[in-house]
Amino acid sequence: IKIIFSCIFVAFLAIRWTSNFDAESLRGAKVLVTGSSKGIGEQMAYHYARFGAKIVITARSKDTLQKVVEKCLSLGAQEAFYIAADMSNESDLDRVVDFALKKLGGLDYLVLNHIGSTRVAMWDGDVEHAKWLMKINFFSYIQMAWKALPSLEKNKGSLVIVSSLAGKMPSPLTAPYVSTKSALNGFFGSLRHELAMKKSNVSISVCTLGLIDTETAMSKVKGKVNMPAYPATEAALNIIITGATRQPELFYPWFTYIWTLTKDWIPSFTDYVVQRSYNYNP
Ligand code: NDP
């Protein structure tokens, strides 16, 4: 019964926010998307471009960024710029936000999406890797968000955080990654309360994604997991709509929401299913 009610609730939310979405609201919107040289970030750049937004994209590989910018302009972006930066480098973080503020004349959306590379493997005690990953996947997010906040406040803007089901429901073989996503959920959940208490203009959307068919994800999980992957372009569009309609959360695909509930309602069953979704033969 709980599961049926949850499905109805999710369907209701999905219908409500997609029907509220006004594509015109993104025409001319000033958007910074991180991790946008490939995968979901690249697809977000193309959607924003089709909606006629002004965008800045960033990642480390300059050549790829250049190609993505060219495609964005051909798809209809009012303006498109790129800046190469490494999110493990503290000085790059402010540099990227300053670049976007200057090129676009402010920000309406900051979409934090980048992640550092990590192995899909049993935890091997490599604390240095966990610290490095935390720097890229978590600390860079909170620094960039803080830097962009005054402009977002002025423009009644939105912070969009790309998180993962792994941040709500720990999965095996990715302990450092799971930690960074849990930290994001905690931090931005707390910040959302504070902004609401301050009657801020800024909305925060935290996006919980299941497995998405990006090249990186598919190559990392190959032969290791038994679960379906969902299209990056659709995930990207859902993230954009969630930000544009100022919804606090996205669950994509929709049933990821059910998983976050079953972990509390029927934990032993959820543990059983999670552990059997991975191929591991000691
Ligand atoms: P990809 O690996 O496809 O893309 C990652 C992006 O981040 C690339 O543009 C990459 O470009 C950039 N990047 C990597 N390292 C750095 C760095 N040190 N500094 C700056 N940029 C960097 O990732 P996905 O598209 O698969 O994932 C995007 C988001 O979606 C992530 O937040 C991820 O956690 C989330 N997600 C993805 C899922 C999936 O199954 N794909 C599932 C759940 C959540 P470059 O290498 O050129 O720097």
Side-chain angles (χ1 to χ4, degrees), residues 19-33:
S19 56
N20 277 349
F21 174 58
D22 173 14
E24 275 304 305
S25 70
L26 292 175
R27 188 165 304 282
K30 299 162 182 171
V31 186
L32 168 57
V33 185

Side-chain angles (χ1 to χ4, degrees), residues 34-42 44 58-62 64-65 84-89 92-93 112-117 132 136-137 141 161-166 177 180-181 184 207-218 220-221 229-230 232 239 252:
T34 68
S36 34
S37 64
K38 58 182 177 179
I40 299 167
E42 179 187 0
M44 283 196 274
T58 184
R60 288 166 307 171
S61 61
K62 205 172 164 180
T64 325
L65 286 170
D86 186 338
M87 297 302 171
S88 67
N89 183 351
D92 276 10
L93 308 176
L112 294 166
N113 166 74
H114 62 274
I115 40 165
S117 180
W132 173 84
I136 298 175
N137 292 11
Y141 277 52
I161 309 300
V162 181
S163 190
S164 165
L165 182 58
Y177 173 78
T180 66
K181 293 298 186 185
L184 284 180
C207 304
T208 295
L209 305 182
L211 184 61
I212 309 298
D213 68 356
T214 63
E215 254 180 68
T216 311
M218 291 301 91
K220 293 209 181 235
V221 303
Y230 289 79
I239 294 168
Y252 177 86

Side-chain angles (χ1 to χ4, degrees), residues 165-172 174-175 178-179 182 263 270-271 274 278:
L165 182 58
K168 297 250 186 200
M169 200 175 108
S171 48
T174 48
V178 167
S179 315
S182 307
K263 97 179 184 321
T270 311
D271 286 352
V274 168
Y278 290 78

